[in-house]
Amino acid sequence: MALRNGPEEFGLVTRLIHWGTMLLVIGMLALGNRIADMQPGLANLWLYGLHKTLGFGVLTLVTLRIVWHVASPPPPPIGPRNAGFWAARVAHWGFYVLLFAIPLTGWAGSSATGIDVMIADRWTVPPLVEASEAAEAFWFGLHGILTKVLFGLIVLHMLAALKREMEGDGTLTRMIRGRV
Ligand code: HEM
Ligand code: HEM
């Protein structure tokens, strides 16, 4: 089983990162919505910590993914260079941008509260912005908007993958077992 990507195939590393990121991100969307509806207190503070820690996990995975894709470029979308091809390209780039922007805006909003931002309750990361209520509202507002854009993009991406698979071009099969 090839670890690296080929000109027409997805290698194991890319597939594991893709599906691992998917699970983590869907869990984070659910957890984020849960904590946004809560009144922070001693009983639920750990959920905030978990959300932040997993958010740094997403940031690490997307960085690894880019490093890996520079070392081992993924194959282009299947089929002719028509509108669908370019739509897939734009969606994939959109994912990369959002998977950086969302954790960074969450980090900025959390810094603006003036409370230390920690990974796994152990390592404190430096604040990205000065503490203020205005900055907190701005960065968390942006964090919330971007997560809704991400959710929309995931739905479109999933529907496009399923549609193409049903049309028989092997797009989904290739992301599951590497080749068509
Ligand atoms: C890909 C990673 C992430 C995803 C998908 C995500 C998702 C979300 C979502 C959906 C919400 C609810 C937004 C709303 O309805 O207003 C939220 C809230 C929140 N996120 Fe994230 N988040 C991520 C990363 C982070 C990171 C890295 C941090 C901090 C270091 C963070 C801190 C927070 C906090 C504190 C809230 C609650 C904000 C409030 O009380 O209004 N998030 N997140
Ligand atoms: C958080 C959720 C998801 C994210 C962030 C995501 C992101 C990406 C990205 C960036 C690519 C381009 C290849 C790469 O750079 O690794 C890709 C490809 C792909 N994704 Fe997703 N994806 C998600 C969920 C899903 C789901 C739910 C499905 C299907 C049920 C899916 C099916 C595919 C397929 C079939 C490809 C290959 C497309 C091609 O061959 O051009 N993805 N995804």
Side-chain angles (χ1 to χ4, degrees):
M1 197 178 287
L3 291 182
R4 297 177 66 85
N5 298 309
E8 300 295 334
E9 297 94 39
F10 282 112
L12 186 63
V13 175
T14 292
R15 283 179 282 139
L16 284 178
I17 295 179
H18 177 269
W19 296 113
T21 307
M22 182 200 80
L23 289 178
L24 197 54
V25 166
I26 291 176
M28 283 293 282
L29 287 171
L31 180 56
N33 280 311
R34 185 93 183 80
I35 60 173
D37 287 341
M38 286 175 167
Q39 209 41 49
L42 280 183
N44 59 23
L45 222 48
W46 69 277
L47 281 177
Y48 287 80
L50 180 65
H51 183 79
K52 293 175 192 178
T53 300
L54 294 179
F56 284 108
V58 173
L59 202 54
T60 309
L61 266 184
V62 68
T63 307
L64 273 179
R65 188 165 179 164
I66 288 177
V67 171
W68 177 248
H69 282 177
V70 170
S72 175
I78 295 172
R81 298 190 168 226
N82 57 15
F85 176 95
W86 292 111
R89 272 271 141 104
V90 170
H92 298 164
W93 275 98
F95 277 132
Y96 283 106
V97 171
L98 288 168
L99 293 185
F100 272 108
I102 291 174
L104 289 176
T105 51
W107 182 356
S110 302
S111 309
T113 63
I115 301 169
D116 278 352
V117 182
M118 299 182 79
I119 300 177
D121 262 345
R122 218 183 147 134
W123 298 282
T124 307
V125 294
L128 288 187
V129 299
E130 299 230 336
S132 84
E133 276 185 20
E136 184 185 336
F138 173 79
W139 289 110
F140 279 144
L142 192 56
H143 189 63
I145 292 169
L146 293 178
T147 59
K148 286 172 184 72
V149 176
L150 175 66
F151 181 75
L153 195 59
I154 294 173
V155 172
L156 289 178
H157 175 69
M158 192 179 82
L159 291 177
L162 293 176
K163 175 174 175 285
R164 296 187 61 164
E165 188 64 23
M166 285 192 297
E167 288 166 358
D169 80 357
T171 290
L172 186 56
T173 308
R174 187 170 74 153
M175 195 34 115
I176 294 171
R177 62 162 202 218
R179 40 197 168 71
V180 176

